[in-house]
Amino acid sequence: MATNLRGRLLASTLLVGTFCTATPLMAQDQVAAADTASEEAIVVTGTRIFSPTLSSPVPVTSVSVGDLTRTGDVSVGDQLNNLPSLRSSYSSSNSTQYIGTTGLNILDLRGLGVPRTLVLVNGRRHITSVEGEFQIDTNTIPTDLLERVDIVTGGSSAVYGSDAMAGVVNFVLKKDFEGVNLNAQGGITSYGDRGTYRLSGTFGTNFSEGRGNIAVSLEYSQQNLVTFADRPKLTGAFAGRRQFQLVDDPSADNTIPNRQFLTGVHSYGYSNGGSFISYSEGSVFNCSDAAGACLPNGFPRVYLFQPDGTLKEGNYGTDFRPVGSGNNQGGDGATLNDTGTLNPRVQRYVANLVGHYDFSDAFRPFVEAKFVRVKAYSQGGPTFSQGGPQGLDGGAVAEPFNYLIYTPIMLDNAYLNPQARATIQSLLPAGSTFFALNRNNVDLGTRDEAPQRDTWRVVVGAEGTFNDDWHYDVSVDYGHLKTRTKFYNNRIEQNFYNAIDAVRNGAGQIVCRVNQVTVTDPGCQPLDILGNGRASQAALDYINTTSRYWGKATELDISANLAGDSSQLFELPGGPVRFAIGAEYRRETAAYHYDDLVTSGATFLNAIQPFNPPSFAVKEAYGELEVPLLSNLPFVEELSLNGAARVADYKGSAGTVWAYNYGVMYAPIRDIKFRANYSRSVRAPTLGDLYSSPSQDYDSLNDPCDANFINAGKASRPANCAAAGVPVGFQNTEARAATLEILSGGNSNLTVEKSRSITFGAIIQPRWVPGLTVTLDYYDVKISNVIQPVEPQTILDGCYDAPSLDNTFCKLIYPRDADHTFGAPALLKASVNYAAQRTRGLDVDVAYNHRLGDKDRVQLRFIGNWVRTRTDYPYLDSPDQPERIKGELGDPIYAFNASIDWTHDKFTLGYQLRYIGKQSITDWEAQHTTYGVAPLDPYYADRVYYPSVTYHNIRATLDVNDHFQFYGGVDNLTNKMPPLGVLGTGSLTDGDAIYDNIGRMMYVGVRVKL
């Protein structure tokens, strides 16, 4: 499920009282612009040509730093993600969804994927925050020295190079800052947690009679950790999960909804103290043959270890095993949500310096330098075990069984209570020597992650003006990233198996079996896990380790640009021809590795191999042209054409590629302008795309040949499953019960992605309604040859839904085992140039700024987005087969922000409403007729949509005098939480971070200007 489109931003010229909104850059200072014959020529993001701000042929929007920091949240990235044109693919709340990503905040324009949004600082590239990728963490941008953020919609590779497929986000820093600015802010939720703090100071001075300027900005910010346990009503911690629960057998031919939204859901397969389930054949759904092993419903009995080590039969509540789920409602078992992170702790330390000295108009050297340290922390889930062989007579029981992580306990275990032993033996086959313990190991420690990312960046260069109106700039940009991450309580697998195999030695002492006769492992400490909280600290120290990750990346970017016009040679009826030309060289390196234990696969963490690819390098040249054909004529106030082209020579498989764009601007009268633009853009494969080593991974997968899913696909699915040897009525209980092992890796044969984007729209500024600006922009972006890993579920579905098994997807699946379950690994997840993406929609931005006398002013905003199309084409062997993304979780069809701000003298009161439209609870195709195909799973659930959600924010600002400003506000005034069990953490899809999962936030702050 991909991506949502959100709309326009509020103008950087709006008053301080405006609340976190944005206005098109073209609308800035609209009244003054209308009455001024000419505007100052500047470089607008989206072009390198010096031109008036109101003449951009592409949608460019701008938001000031004041708008982005006027909330209780101290993360600029999170505030940008709240805008309709950006999707919350990597925000604070869902940054914990993958290994090593805690604390990252990466922008995703138009929801076309974070790799396809190019992030710049002052129009230049920035060192990555993810080794081997071109992805910038917004936490590395200095907030206090930030002036505004410009956003360009549509492909811009001809101007800026690779990655600008969806568009560009450019962070523009202040220049010529003089004086002292201090800011302090603190906030807290109505729950008394998630403390947020920001302290910053910017110090600048001019010297040499204003020819030189230097400014230093220092900043510290912190957002405190919020865990699942802090929001039990949302997460179901301790009491039971809130979720859509399977309540009816999907294989049954009836019209009963298969799922209902329930609360108090627990998992039979796990308990915090450990459980024994009287199953056989490696499946927790099959009863053993022993008398009394089965309940009347035909499923195994469940027994729970108590804190004193005794065994007690569990409370079954409403048992959902008969319909294919391992859950219950109101019974015993783990919630699986007692631990986990809703929002991680993030600390930022920022030092930034900017300076320049004007020797002359023709030579103005400058420097930008910064150091940023971002420290984050998230609480993870514990280790766990479920399934595996049950009651076999010896053998290699300490070896993982068919990629299910399990815990074998020998029946002579010294910690096994006699009552518990007797019960278990009575339910196992005669001669059994062990049983499988199902357990959620909360008391053994949560698997926490603590990254530290250090970023250095230095830009040195010179710029100047000559020939009256020609401008040049040259710069050398060097960046360095160093990442160090600790993974706490990572289990050492062999130590764990040694420790749980506890026996008595000849002296009657409880020891590890490996030390029972001869001490072969002096460090081994016996571990008692037969009941919650019984483990000794010595045993925990033996089985757990703090694993480590080291990563680094560098970037060297050398660029030269020249811009000017033909005014000294000739002019067209519309004015002089403007141009820009330039060249760029960029080289990037990356590497990372985990410690030896992780790399070898000796720990619970995935076995991840070292990454040490060759360097990335590209040489580029570009040119831009703006041709003003006519101006100041009846019905032709302005008519101009523009175009740009870039050639890039990439090291490796991408080779030499071209990007280009062209557009037109037409204003029949002063009150309205029409603009249109067409662009072709490219994105080169990253080092990670090309060279990441095949590494162990896991995913929760539905077997298309399972009885629950065989009729939920294409008509060819049953025949293909039969051809694969899978019998009718097969139940893949292992896939139902646990995640499956897969391999993930890169592909060195990848080539460039290509995109085509079209934008056209209108800017309306009626002279008879001063202060009103209306912009409407339609966009149509299509990306082909998309570099995308084939998702494991897509591989499985694509294999068995194809006309036959002779297809590319089936070749990525390893042979099934003799019992028809998947092997270990089950399949290979690799990136290929196969997919396509398309999005079309309309942005609407209406702003009205009106004065009411000398001391009062009212500002009204409506910023909305309508998505007409959002479609992926992810099927390798059926490239024209669409998959609808529009309307799925994270990708609402409608989204908008509306605000009103009233200013009286020095006091401003603001209100903002944020609306998110309803979204499908599962794949759109499941419950809707899509592209002429009937719903694939019409009875998926008793509901179709997550409901629409509205958030309300208020803020007040008081300017005491020219030096002091106090402010405060409340975000999410009504304490709205995510709907229907959604957590906002990426647990369902990264799109669920579209919802606020923190609740009501209150904050106050003060600004001092000296």
Side-chain angles (χ1 to χ4, degrees), residues 5-29:
L5 316 174
R6 314 205 189 158
R8 299 287 113 196
L9 310 178
L10 275 192
S12 60
T13 56
L14 294 183
L15 289 181
V16 171
T18 307
F19 187 88
C20 192
T21 45
T23 279
L25 181 64
M26 294 70 65
Q28 291 184 23
D29 206 6

Side-chain angles (χ1 to χ4, degrees), residues 962-983:
D962 292 341
H963 301 293
F964 293 94
Q965 180 190 81
F966 294 98
Y967 61 91
V970 181
D971 300 339
N972 194 353
L973 183 65
T974 59
N975 198 33
K976 178 73 71 174
M977 286 296 184
L980 298 175
V982 175
L983 301 182

Side-chain angles (χ1 to χ4, degrees), residues 522-748:
C524 187
Q525 297 291 325
L527 175 64
D528 184 358
I529 57 173
L530 303 179
N532 190 26
R534 296 171 62 87
S536 69
Q537 186 60 51
L540 295 180
D541 293 341
Y542 171 69
I543 68 168
N544 290 328
T545 186
T546 298
S547 295
R548 286 172 167 79
Y549 166 96
W550 298 268
K552 66 176 182 179
T554 66
E555 178 183 70
L556 174 65
D557 190 11
I558 304 172
S559 64
N561 304 283
L562 174 65
D565 63 44
S566 65
S567 58
Q568 298 185 46
L569 300 175
F570 66 91
E571 292 192 15
L572 298 178
V577 175
R578 299 185 179 92
F579 71 90
I581 57 174
E584 185 173 1
Y585 170 79
R586 179 161 50 99
R587 183 179 185 272
E588 308 212 8
T589 67
Y592 64 72
H593 70 278
Y594 290 78
D595 60 44
D596 292 342
L597 277 175
V598 173
T599 302
S600 67
T603 69
F604 193 88
L605 188 65
N606 300 10
I608 303 174
Q609 303 307 304
F611 175 63
N612 191 22
S615 63
F616 171 96
V618 59
K619 294 175 285 187
E620 303 176 86
Y622 79 93
E624 283 190 79
L625 204 62
E626 181 183 299
V627 182
L629 299 178
L630 300 171
S631 66
N632 300 319
L633 296 175
F635 303 108
V636 188
E637 180 69 21
E638 176 188 344
L639 177 62
S640 62
L641 304 177
N642 68 87
R646 175 179 289 253
V647 60
D649 181 18
Y650 291 95
K651 174 184 176 181
S653 60
T656 301
V657 297
W658 285 85
Y660 59 87
N661 64 45
Y662 50 84
V664 60
M665 177 73 80
Y666 170 59
I669 57 177
R670 290 173 55 185
D671 308 88
I672 185 169
K673 290 184 179 182
F674 299 99
R675 59 187 175 197
N677 183 266
Y678 177 92
S679 68
R680 283 281 184 178
S681 295
V682 296
R683 184 179 84 87
T686 66
L687 293 175
D689 292 331
L690 295 166
Y691 303 114
S692 59
S693 303
S695 297
Q696 185 183 48
D697 203 350
Y698 293 88
D699 207 340
S700 296
L701 300 173
N702 297 326
D703 184 350
C705 297
D706 187 296
N708 277 355
F709 308 105
I710 196 165
N711 294 318
K714 300 297 176 61
S716 57
R717 183 177 289 191
N720 281 334
C721 289
V726 180
V728 175
F730 169 68
Q731 296 183 12
N732 194 334
T733 54
E734 293 173 357
R736 292 182 185 182
T739 55
L740 304 183
E741 182 184 342
I742 63 174
L743 289 181
S744 297
N747 182 352
S748 60

Side-chain angles (χ1 to χ4, degrees), residues 348-411:
R348 299 171 61 246
Y349 305 82
V350 182
N352 205 98
L353 178 146
V354 293
H356 69 85
Y357 188 84
D358 301 346
F359 286 96
S360 68
D361 289 344
F363 184 58
R364 299 192 292 269
F366 61 86
V367 62
E368 300 171 17
K370 75 174 181 181
F371 170 77
V372 181
R373 170 167 290 176
V374 178
K375 299 174 69 175
Y377 177 84
S378 65
Q379 180 190 79
T383 60
F384 54 88
S385 57
Q386 182 187 34
Q390 182 72 284
L392 301 181
D393 54 350
V397 299
E399 294 299 322
F401 173 77
N402 202 18
Y403 51 82
L404 290 177
I405 300 173
Y406 82 108
T407 300
I409 302 294
M410 305 302 291
L411 290 175

Side-chain angles (χ1 to χ4, degrees), residues 73 78 92-93 188-196 223-227 230-231 234 341-344 951 971-972 975-978 983-985 995-1002:
D73 198 334
D78 282 346
S92 293
S93 64
I188 195 169
T189 71
S190 56
Y191 299 92
D193 57 19
R194 188 55 170 174
T196 61
Q223 300 164 286
N224 285 343
L225 175 73
V226 179
T227 67
D230 294 324
R231 298 289 186 277
L234 170 65
T341 295
L342 286 175
N343 269 243
Y951 298 103
D971 300 339
N972 194 353
N975 198 33
K976 178 73 71 174
M977 286 296 184
L983 301 182
T985 61
Y995 300 116
D996 177 3
N997 64 1
I998 293 301
R1000 185 184 299 113
M1001 168 70 74
M1002 301 161 288

Side-chain angles (χ1 to χ4, degrees), residues 32-289:
D35 296 331
T36 303
S38 64
E39 303 174 70
E40 180 185 0
I42 65 170
V43 176
V44 180
T45 304
T47 177
R48 295 188 186 274
I49 293 176
F50 277 62
S51 62
T53 59
L54 301 186
S55 299
S56 173
V58 295
V60 181
T61 62
S62 181
V63 59
S64 73
V65 65
D67 294 325
L68 290 173
T69 57
R70 280 196 297 276
T71 73
D73 198 334
V74 296
S75 168
V76 169
D78 282 346
Q79 292 310 303
L80 286 170
N81 278 323
N82 284 339
L83 296 164
S85 60
L86 290 157
R87 186 177 193 268
S88 300
S89 297
Y90 272 97
S91 60
S92 293
S93 64
N94 68 350
S95 67
T96 61
Q97 61 184 312
Y98 300 114
I99 296 172
T101 60
T102 293
L104 290 175
N105 202 312
I106 303 172
L107 301 178
D108 184 356
L109 183 59
R110 301 295 173 197
L112 294 172
V114 292
R116 298 172 192 93
T117 298
L118 178 60
V119 174
L120 306 173
V121 175
N122 282 347
R124 300 181 184 88
R125 287 186 176 262
H126 189 282
I127 178 65
T128 183
S129 300
V130 181
E131 297 88 346
E133 307 296 335
F134 304 140
Q135 297 172 15
I136 313 306
D137 181 7
T138 58
N139 289 313
T140 64
I141 307 299
T143 304
D144 214 37
L145 203 56
L146 185 63
E147 179 176 287
R148 70 179 194 274
V149 179
D150 294 342
I151 299 177
V152 178
T153 296
S156 299
S157 288
V159 178
Y160 295 111
S162 179
D163 309 329
M165 308 287 273
V168 172
V169 179
N170 183 25
F171 290 82
V172 181
L173 303 183
K174 296 173 183 176
K175 293 184 178 180
D176 292 316
F177 179 85
E178 186 173 18
V180 176
N181 274 0
L182 304 175
N183 178 226
Q185 177 179 312
I188 195 169
T189 71
S190 56
Y191 299 92
D193 57 19
R194 188 55 170 174
T196 61
Y197 315 95
R198 179 171 60 219
L199 295 171
S200 62
T202 301
F203 313 88
T205 184
N206 291 323
F207 56 92
S208 294
E209 299 179 338
R211 296 168 63 186
N213 178 270
I214 188 168
V216 175
S217 179
L218 304 175
E219 180 182 351
Y220 170 80
S221 68
Q222 178 172 320
Q223 300 164 286
N224 285 343
L225 175 73
V226 179
T227 67
F228 285 3
D230 294 324
R231 298 289 186 277
K233 291 184 179 180
L234 170 65
T235 64
F238 311 112
R241 301 189 301 277
R242 305 166 67 251
Q243 66 180 48
F244 282 96
Q245 171 60 45
L246 191 68
V247 297
D248 186 64
D249 188 348
S251 64
D253 187 14
N254 59 46
T255 59
I256 299 173
N258 296 330
R259 292 165 183 81
Q260 294 179 7
F261 178 73
L262 301 177
T263 61
V265 176
H266 294 251
S267 297
Y268 279 129
Y270 307 91
S271 68
N272 291 351
S275 59
F276 166 73
I277 304 176
S278 57
Y279 67 84
S280 67
E281 301 175 8
S283 169
V284 295
F285 288 90
N286 298 330
C287 293
S288 73
D289 296 330

